[in-house]
Amino acid sequence: MAWLLVVVAGILETGFAVCLKLSHGFTRLWPTIAFCVFALGSFGLLTLALKRLDVGPAYAVWTGIGAAGTAIYGMVFLDDVVSTLKLVSISFVIIGVIGLQLSGSSH
């Protein structure tokens, strides 16, 4: 259950990163509000998950999901540049996240 919280928190991290861009420096109301909601949700779920998980792997998985998700979202919806190197790098992040999750936790 704690790992599920980390995954959802990572997805919400993608949401707050995208909304941060869309807010244009917090000058647009709705993206700014969405940023706050996603950020509070993401940090809240990560906080709950850290009660049961080791901080290193959990934080790395949360950050990896957020980074990969944000990069993918940017390429698909925000016209960010797509390159082979970027796709390979995202794959390495995802492989690293899976490896950390499979490494297990003492709890």
Side-chain angles (χ1 to χ4, degrees):
M1 182 64 169
W3 279 113
L4 178 61
L5 294 176
V6 172
V7 170
V8 174
I11 293 167
L12 293 175
E13 182 188 1
T14 297
F16 83 68
V18 170
C19 289
L20 187 60
K21 177 175 177 56
L22 298 176
S23 76
H24 291 271
F26 299 122
T27 61
R28 294 186 175 165
L29 179 62
W30 293 113
T32 299
I33 291 171
F35 163 80
C36 293
V37 170
F38 283 125
L40 287 171
S42 181
F43 287 117
L45 291 177
L46 181 62
T47 300
L48 292 174
L50 288 176
K51 290 181 178 182
R52 297 193 176 262
L53 299 173
D54 292 338
V55 68
Y59 183 77
V61 168
W62 174 74
T63 304
I65 291 170
T70 302
I72 292 166
Y73 187 94
M75 288 185 291
V76 173
F77 297 107
L78 301 176
D79 296 324
D80 287 358
V81 175
V82 178
S83 70
T84 301
L85 181 57
K86 189 181 280 189
L87 295 173
V88 168
S89 298
I90 291 169
S91 298
F92 283 141
V93 169
I94 292 169
I95 290 166
V97 164
I98 292 169
L100 282 168
Q101 205 281 337
L102 292 175
S103 71
S105 176
S106 61
H107 299 282

